Amino acid sequence: MDSDKKNEYTEMLLNAYNKGLLRIIWSTSGFSLGIETEKRDFIPELSEKAFVDYVFSVIKIVIDLAEGRNVDDISEEDLEVARAIYEQEDDLKNHLYIKKHSKIHCFKLLESQIISYRNDENPKETEAVSAILKLSTENGDDESSNAFEVSGRDLEYIIKYLTELKEKMDSI
């Protein structure tokens, strides 16, 4: 790839990543790129195989940095781009270790939907509001999901519990 094209790809990758248009989705089987459908038009280079190959090569360097591998044979330009991304990937070393070495299912995705229960006699009146949470997990190519309903009270308990758990983990 010529240096002008590589510079263009570098700029596009860093701009898209820094603006949140392009995300790296880390999974137990590797990684993928996350691009919201409505934001796809902002990255026309995604239709170019050379650009996608470049992005994947940079992400592989990010993985090498996180895992402490030797990066001496990588060009300084590619290493600089990978470092810029790595610095923004919070706790990536630990995250990747868990994704690769866990013997059980790992967290993948949490989705939610707010629902309301309506009064049978007057549907404009709301009797109660709750949320449906869908928790997706993965182990290699094996995926699983469970959906459950929570009240506001349940949600407060979950938030409090998870906040305390995070504080304990941070203290270690």
Side-chain angles (χ1 to χ4, degrees), residues 94-157:
N94 188 57
H95 185 71
L96 291 179
Y97 185 89
I98 291 165
K99 293 284 186 186
K100 287 184 175 184
H101 294 91
S102 181
K103 304 293 185 229
I104 60 174
H105 278 247
C106 290
F107 173 82
K108 180 176 182 180
L109 180 67
L110 181 64
E111 297 174 284
S112 65
Q113 180 179 1
I114 297 173
I115 62 170
S116 62
Y117 289 91
R118 301 300 182 151
N119 182 301
D120 289 336
E121 294 165 12
N122 183 0
K124 290 185 179 183
E125 284 185 30
T126 302
E127 293 292 327
V129 177
S130 67
I132 296 176
L133 298 179
K134 180 180 175 187
L135 177 67
S136 299
T137 61
E138 63 181 345
N139 187 350
D141 292 332
D142 183 26
E143 292 186 23
S144 175
S145 65
N146 290 300
F148 54 96
E149 187 171 0
V150 294
S151 67
R153 181 180 185 168
D154 294 334
L155 200 52
E156 283 187 27
Y157 171 77

Side-chain angles (χ1 to χ4, degrees), residues 1-171:
M1 174 182 324
D2 69 37
S3 65
D4 288 342
K5 195 63 156 172
K6 190 171 189 176
N7 289 338
E8 178 186 329
Y9 284 171
T10 296
E11 186 176 331
M12 177 52 70
L13 168 59
L14 288 175
N15 283 336
Y17 181 80
N18 290 333
K19 290 178 181 176
L21 301 175
L22 178 88
R23 319 183 283 115
I24 305 167
I25 301 168
W26 305 102
S27 67
T28 57
S29 59
F31 66 89
S32 60
L33 297 178
I35 303 107
E36 293 182 31
T37 307
E38 60 272 4
K39 294 180 180 179
R40 215 169 170 70
D41 294 339
F42 294 110
I43 315 171
E45 289 81 1
L46 282 172
S47 62
E48 298 177 30
K49 182 181 180 336
F51 176 70
V52 174
D53 289 345
Y54 173 71
V55 171
F56 274 67
S57 71
V58 169
I59 296 171
K60 288 177 183 174
I61 299 168
V62 172
I63 294 169
D64 289 343
L65 291 170
E67 294 179 344
R69 290 196 195 107
N70 184 350
V71 291
D72 293 341
D73 59 341
I74 296 170
S75 76
E76 192 56 42
E77 297 85 20
D78 290 348
L79 197 51
E80 189 177 318
V81 175
R83 279 190 181 119
I85 292 172
Y86 177 63
E87 289 171 4
Q88 295 180 61
E89 287 289 325
D90 186 44
D91 196 26
L92 184 59
K93 180 180 181 177
N94 188 57
H95 185 71
L96 291 179
Y97 185 89
I98 291 165
K99 293 284 186 186
K100 287 184 175 184
H101 294 91
S102 181
K103 304 293 185 229
I104 60 174
H105 278 247
C106 290
F107 173 82
K108 180 176 182 180
L109 180 67
L110 181 64
E111 297 174 284
S112 65
Q113 180 179 1
I114 297 173
I115 62 170
S116 62
Y117 289 91
R118 301 300 182 151
N119 182 301
D120 289 336
E121 294 165 12
N122 183 0
K124 290 185 179 183
E125 284 185 30
T126 302
E127 293 292 327
V129 177
S130 67
I132 296 176
L133 298 179
K134 180 180 175 187
L135 177 67
S136 299
T137 61
E138 63 181 345
N139 187 350
D141 292 332
D142 183 26
E143 292 186 23
S144 175
S145 65
N146 290 300
F148 54 96
E149 187 171 0
V150 294
S151 67
R153 181 180 185 168
D154 294 334
L155 200 52
E156 283 187 27
Y157 171 77
I158 292 168
I159 292 168
K160 180 179 180 225
Y161 183 87
L162 292 176
T163 301
E164 289 172 2
L165 180 61
K166 175 75 169 103
E167 289 169 359
K168 289 176 185 177
M169 288 175 67
D170 289 345
S171 73

